[in-house]
Amino acid sequence: MDFSFQLYSARNFLPWGAVLRQLAEFGYRQVEGFGGAYEDVQSFRRAMDENGLSMPSGHFGIDALETNFAQVEATAAALGISKIVCPFLTPELRPTSAAGWHTLAGRLAAIGQKVAASGRSFAWHNHDFEFHSLADGRTPMQILLDDAPGVEWEADLAWIIRGGHDPHDWIDRYGDRITAVHVKDIAAPGECADEDGWADVGHGTMPWRQLVEALRSKGKCHLFIAEHDNPSDMARFAGRSIESMRAFMEPANV
Protein backbone atom coordinates (compact mmCIF):
# COMPACT_ATOMS: atom_id res chain seq x y z
CA MET A 1 0.00 0.00 0.00
CA ASP A 2 1.15 3.54 -0.78
CA PHE A 3 0.55 5.66 2.31
CA SER A 4 -0.35 9.31 1.90
CA PHE A 5 0.55 12.39 3.96
CA GLN A 6 -1.64 15.46 4.46
CA LEU A 7 0.67 18.36 3.64
CA TYR A 8 -1.11 20.64 6.12
CA SER A 9 0.90 18.75 8.73
CA ALA A 10 4.09 20.18 7.22
CA ARG A 11 2.99 23.78 6.69
CA ASN A 12 5.37 25.06 9.39
CA PHE A 13 8.41 23.16 8.08
CA LEU A 14 8.93 24.55 4.58
CA PRO A 15 10.37 24.77 1.93
CA TRP A 16 8.18 22.29 0.12
CA GLY A 17 11.06 20.77 -1.83
CA ALA A 18 12.77 19.68 1.37
CA VAL A 19 9.47 18.42 2.83
CA LEU A 20 8.70 16.27 -0.21
CA ARG A 21 12.22 14.87 -0.32
CA GLN A 22 12.00 13.89 3.35
CA LEU A 23 8.58 12.27 2.94
CA ALA A 24 9.88 10.20 0.04
CA GLU A 25 12.87 9.09 2.11
CA PHE A 26 10.51 7.85 4.82
CA GLY A 27 8.66 5.80 2.22
CA TYR A 28 5.58 7.88 1.44
CA ARG A 29 4.48 7.67 -2.18
CA GLN A 30 1.44 9.92 -2.01
CA VAL A 31 0.59 13.30 -0.54
CA GLU A 32 -2.69 15.13 -0.03
CA GLY A 33 -2.80 18.77 -1.06
CA PHE A 34 -4.28 21.86 0.58
CA GLY A 35 -4.26 25.56 -0.25
CA GLY A 36 -0.68 26.16 0.80
CA ALA A 37 0.57 23.63 -1.75
CA TYR A 38 -1.23 25.27 -4.68
CA GLU A 39 0.61 28.60 -4.82
CA ASP A 40 3.03 27.51 -7.57
CA VAL A 41 1.43 24.44 -9.07
CA GLN A 42 3.98 23.76 -11.77
CA SER A 43 6.95 23.95 -9.41
CA PHE A 44 5.15 21.77 -6.90
CA ARG A 45 4.40 19.17 -9.56
CA ARG A 46 8.06 19.08 -10.61
CA ALA A 47 9.12 18.58 -6.99
CA MET A 48 6.64 15.72 -6.60
CA ASP A 49 7.86 14.07 -9.78
CA GLU A 50 11.49 14.41 -8.70
CA ASN A 51 10.67 12.56 -5.48
CA GLY A 52 8.40 9.87 -6.93
CA LEU A 53 5.28 11.28 -5.26
CA SER A 54 1.71 11.57 -6.52
CA MET A 55 -1.26 13.56 -5.22
CA PRO A 56 -4.43 11.49 -5.59
CA SER A 57 -6.46 13.76 -3.30
CA GLY A 58 -6.58 17.44 -2.49
CA HIS A 59 -8.52 19.80 -0.22
CA PHE A 60 -10.33 22.83 -1.68
CA GLY A 61 -12.50 25.36 0.14
CA ILE A 62 -16.21 25.53 -0.52
CA ASP A 63 -15.97 29.10 -1.86
CA ALA A 64 -13.53 28.08 -4.58
CA LEU A 65 -15.57 25.00 -5.41
CA GLU A 66 -18.73 27.07 -5.86
CA THR A 67 -17.39 30.27 -7.42
CA ASN A 68 -14.10 29.40 -9.14
CA PHE A 69 -14.39 25.77 -10.12
CA ALA A 70 -12.41 26.30 -13.32
CA GLN A 71 -9.35 27.15 -11.23
CA VAL A 72 -9.94 24.17 -8.95
CA GLU A 73 -10.17 21.91 -11.98
CA ALA A 74 -6.98 23.36 -13.48
CA THR A 75 -5.09 22.83 -10.21
CA ALA A 76 -6.40 19.29 -9.89
CA ALA A 77 -5.39 18.50 -13.47
CA ALA A 78 -1.89 19.91 -13.05
CA LEU A 79 -1.24 17.97 -9.83
CA GLY A 80 -2.98 14.74 -10.82
CA ILE A 81 -5.71 15.00 -8.19
CA SER A 82 -8.55 12.52 -8.78
CA LYS A 83 -10.43 13.05 -5.48
CA ILE A 84 -11.47 16.59 -4.59
CA VAL A 85 -12.26 17.05 -0.90
CA CYS A 86 -14.11 19.91 0.79
CA PRO A 87 -12.46 20.05 4.21
CA PHE A 88 -13.89 22.65 6.55
CA LEU A 89 -16.31 25.45 7.32
CA THR A 90 -15.16 28.40 9.41
CA PRO A 91 -17.40 29.03 12.44
CA GLU A 92 -19.26 31.92 10.85
CA LEU A 93 -20.23 29.76 7.87
CA ARG A 94 -21.53 26.79 9.85
CA PRO A 95 -25.30 26.32 9.86
CA THR A 96 -26.98 26.59 13.25
CA SER A 97 -30.11 24.56 12.49
CA ALA A 98 -31.11 21.35 10.79
CA ALA A 99 -32.60 23.38 7.95
CA GLY A 100 -29.26 25.03 7.39
CA TRP A 101 -27.46 21.69 7.22
CA HIS A 102 -30.03 20.39 4.75
CA THR A 103 -29.26 23.42 2.59
CA LEU A 104 -25.52 22.77 2.86
CA ALA A 105 -26.06 19.15 1.83
CA GLY A 106 -27.78 20.40 -1.30
CA ARG A 107 -24.85 22.67 -2.07
CA LEU A 108 -22.41 19.80 -1.64
CA ALA A 109 -24.51 17.59 -3.90
CA ALA A 110 -24.38 20.30 -6.59
CA ILE A 111 -20.60 20.59 -6.23
CA GLY A 112 -20.36 16.82 -6.47
CA GLN A 113 -22.12 16.89 -9.82
CA LYS A 114 -19.60 19.40 -11.17
CA VAL A 115 -16.71 17.33 -9.86
CA ALA A 116 -18.13 14.14 -11.37
CA ALA A 117 -18.49 15.89 -14.72
CA SER A 118 -14.76 16.60 -14.57
CA GLY A 119 -14.06 12.88 -14.17
CA ARG A 120 -13.18 13.06 -10.47
CA SER A 121 -14.79 12.04 -7.19
CA PHE A 122 -15.91 14.41 -4.45
CA ALA A 123 -15.80 13.94 -0.68
CA TRP A 124 -16.54 15.84 2.50
CA HIS A 125 -13.94 15.85 5.30
CA ASN A 126 -15.21 16.10 8.87
CA HIS A 127 -14.03 17.78 12.03
CA ASP A 128 -15.78 17.62 15.40
CA PHE A 129 -18.51 20.21 14.86
CA GLU A 130 -20.48 17.92 12.54
CA PHE A 131 -21.05 15.60 15.51
CA HIS A 132 -22.60 18.11 17.90
CA SER A 133 -26.28 17.24 18.28
CA LEU A 134 -28.93 19.53 16.86
CA ALA A 135 -32.22 20.37 18.54
CA ASP A 136 -33.93 17.33 17.04
CA GLY A 137 -31.18 14.97 18.24
CA ARG A 138 -29.60 14.39 14.85
CA THR A 139 -26.07 15.40 13.98
CA PRO A 140 -25.03 17.55 11.01
CA MET A 141 -22.93 14.65 9.72
CA GLN A 142 -25.97 12.41 9.51
CA ILE A 143 -27.85 15.05 7.53
CA LEU A 144 -24.97 15.59 5.11
CA LEU A 145 -24.55 11.88 4.45
CA ASP A 146 -28.27 11.16 4.12
CA ASP A 147 -29.16 14.20 2.02
CA ALA A 148 -26.18 14.01 -0.36
CA PRO A 149 -25.82 10.28 -1.11
CA GLY A 150 -23.50 10.91 -4.05
CA VAL A 151 -20.89 12.64 -1.90
CA GLU A 152 -18.13 10.43 -0.51
CA TRP A 153 -16.72 10.78 3.00
CA GLU A 154 -13.08 11.36 3.90
CA ALA A 155 -13.40 10.41 7.54
CA ASP A 156 -11.28 11.89 10.31
CA LEU A 157 -11.92 9.33 13.03
CA ALA A 158 -9.99 11.22 15.70
CA TRP A 159 -12.26 14.23 15.25
CA ILE A 160 -15.28 11.92 15.61
CA ILE A 161 -13.96 10.93 19.04
CA ARG A 162 -13.32 14.55 19.96
CA GLY A 163 -16.90 15.21 18.88
CA GLY A 164 -18.09 12.73 21.50
CA HIS A 165 -18.93 9.77 19.26
CA ASP A 166 -17.68 6.23 18.67
CA PRO A 167 -16.07 5.93 15.22
CA HIS A 168 -16.95 2.22 15.05
CA ASP A 169 -20.63 3.17 15.12
CA TRP A 170 -20.18 5.53 12.19
CA ILE A 171 -18.14 2.98 10.25
CA ASP A 172 -20.88 0.42 10.85
CA ARG A 173 -23.58 2.77 9.56
CA TYR A 174 -21.79 4.70 6.85
CA GLY A 175 -18.61 2.77 6.11
CA ASP A 176 -19.62 2.27 2.48
CA ARG A 177 -19.30 6.05 2.05
CA ILE A 178 -15.77 6.24 3.48
CA THR A 179 -13.31 6.20 0.58
CA ALA A 180 -10.43 7.92 2.40
CA VAL A 181 -9.44 8.31 6.03
CA HIS A 182 -7.18 10.66 7.94
CA VAL A 183 -4.96 8.58 10.17
CA LYS A 184 -4.21 10.69 13.23
CA ASP A 185 -3.90 10.00 16.92
CA ILE A 186 -5.06 11.54 20.18
CA ALA A 187 -2.52 11.88 22.96
CA ALA A 188 -3.17 10.46 26.41
CA PRO A 189 -4.64 12.99 28.87
CA GLY A 190 -2.03 15.52 29.92
CA GLU A 191 0.41 14.65 27.13
CA CYS A 192 1.43 16.65 24.03
CA ALA A 193 -0.13 19.87 25.28
CA ASP A 194 2.21 21.84 23.01
CA GLU A 195 0.81 19.89 20.04
CA ASP A 196 -2.86 20.55 20.86
CA GLY A 197 -3.24 17.10 22.36
CA TRP A 198 -2.48 15.22 19.15
CA ALA A 199 0.06 12.38 19.01
CA ASP A 200 2.10 10.65 16.35
CA VAL A 201 0.14 7.80 14.79
CA GLY A 202 0.47 4.69 16.94
CA HIS A 203 1.72 6.66 19.94
CA GLY A 204 -1.63 7.84 21.28
CA THR A 205 -4.94 6.39 22.35
CA MET A 206 -6.62 5.59 19.02
CA PRO A 207 -7.29 1.85 18.45
CA TRP A 208 -6.02 2.03 14.90
CA ARG A 209 -5.54 -1.67 14.24
CA GLN A 210 -9.21 -2.35 15.02
CA LEU A 211 -10.35 0.73 13.10
CA VAL A 212 -8.41 -0.32 10.01
CA GLU A 213 -9.99 -3.75 10.17
CA ALA A 214 -13.45 -2.18 10.42
CA LEU A 215 -12.78 0.10 7.46
CA ARG A 216 -11.48 -2.76 5.38
CA SER A 217 -14.58 -4.82 6.10
CA LYS A 218 -16.58 -2.20 4.17
CA GLY A 219 -14.24 -2.45 1.19
CA LYS A 220 -14.38 1.18 0.04
CA CYS A 221 -11.53 2.97 1.82
CA HIS A 222 -8.49 3.18 -0.46
CA LEU A 223 -6.57 6.19 0.88
CA PHE A 224 -4.90 6.17 4.30
CA ILE A 225 -3.53 9.64 4.98
CA ALA A 226 -1.30 10.49 7.94
CA GLU A 227 -2.13 13.81 9.58
CA HIS A 228 -1.19 15.81 12.65
CA ASP A 229 -2.74 19.25 13.05
CA ASN A 230 0.17 20.80 14.94
CA PRO A 231 3.35 18.69 15.17
CA SER A 232 6.36 20.23 16.86
CA ASP A 233 8.63 18.06 14.72
CA MET A 234 7.36 17.09 11.27
CA ALA A 235 10.10 14.56 10.58
CA ARG A 236 9.46 12.76 13.86
CA PHE A 237 5.74 12.64 13.13
CA ALA A 238 6.14 11.50 9.52
CA GLY A 239 8.68 8.79 10.31
CA ARG A 240 6.97 7.31 13.34
CA SER A 241 3.56 7.45 11.73
CA ILE A 242 4.41 5.56 8.56
CA GLU A 243 6.06 2.85 10.69
CA SER A 244 2.83 2.54 12.67
CA MET A 245 0.63 2.50 9.58
CA ARG A 246 2.69 -0.29 8.07
CA ALA A 247 2.20 -2.29 11.27
CA PHE A 248 -1.58 -1.74 11.22
CA MET A 249 -1.77 -3.13 7.70
CA GLU A 250 0.26 -6.28 8.34
CA PRO A 251 -2.63 -8.64 9.18
CA ALA A 252 -4.09 -8.15 5.71
CA ASN A 253 -0.69 -8.61 4.05
CA VAL A 254 -0.88 -5.29 2.28
Side-chain angles (χ1 to χ4, degrees):
M1 167 167 287
D2 292 334
F3 298 109
S4 190
F5 183 94
Q6 169 49 252
L7 292 170
Y8 183 78
S9 307
R11 68 195 181 281
N12 296 323
F13 301 92
L14 306 185
W16 285 122
V19 167
L20 296 178
R21 184 167 57 254
Q22 197 164 43
L23 292 175
E25 290 171 353
F26 282 126
Y28 292 93
R29 294 293 174 262
Q30 299 172 341
V31 292
E32 181 171 70
F34 79 109
Y38 306 149
E39 294 173 1
D40 187 341
V41 172
Q42 298 304 323
S43 293
F44 204 95
R45 178 58 188 261
R46 284 195 297 273
M48 287 200 305
D49 291 344
E50 289 169 359
N51 289 285
L53 295 165
S54 65
M55 187 182 286
S57 60
H59 285 192
F60 295 88
I62 193 168
D63 181 64
L65 289 165
E66 290 187 316
T67 67
N68 196 9
F69 187 73
Q71 182 60 53
V72 170
E73 189 173 13
T75 298
L79 293 173
I81 295 170
S82 58
K83 184 186 299 296
I84 288 174
V85 183
C86 188
F88 187 66
L89 288 178
T90 55
E92 67 274 11
L93 296 179
R94 296 172 194 168
T96 57
S97 66
W101 286 102
H102 284 296
T103 298
L104 177 63
R107 292 167 62 191
L108 295 179
I111 294 169
Q113 291 177 350
K114 291 193 295 185
V115 174
S118 77
R120 298 174 176 84
S121 61
F122 178 60
W124 175 262
H125 172 78
N126 69 277
H127 287 75
D128 59 339
F129 60 85
E130 298 96 327
F131 297 89
H132 299 162
S133 295
L134 299 166
D136 63 2
R138 288 180 298 170
T139 62
M141 196 70 223
Q142 180 181 352
I143 293 174
L144 295 181
L145 291 169
D146 290 347
D147 278 20
V151 176
E152 298 175 5
W153 183 11
E154 180 182 77
D156 190 314
L157 305 184
W159 274 122
I160 293 178
I161 290 177
R162 284 201 169 182
H165 286 247
D166 181 352
H168 281 286
D169 176 52
W170 286 86
I171 294 171
D172 287 343
R173 289 190 289 149
Y174 294 102
D176 60 345
R177 301 285 292 282
I178 300 174
T179 56
V181 64
H182 272 197
V183 185
K184 64 200 299 182
D185 219 324
I186 299 173
E191 295 183 3
C192 303
D194 64 328
E195 297 183 294
D196 299 336
W198 301 111
D200 298 343
V201 177
H203 296 266
T205 60
M206 295 282 292
W208 268 113
R209 189 179 299 276
Q210 292 82 4
L211 291 168
V212 166
E213 291 175 358
L215 289 165
R216 281 189 160 152
S217 73
K218 298 296 183 176
K220 295 295 181 69
C221 187
H222 57 275
L223 283 174
F224 290 83
I225 306 157
E227 185 188 44
H228 189 309
D229 286 6
N230 188 29
S232 60
D233 184 330
M234 189 277 291
R236 183 210 70 215
F237 162 68
R240 296 174 87 191
S241 295
I242 196 169
E243 288 180 4
S244 295
M245 290 196 294
R246 286 171 176 148
F248 299 149
M249 303 300 173
E250 283 179 357
N253 297 316
V254 173

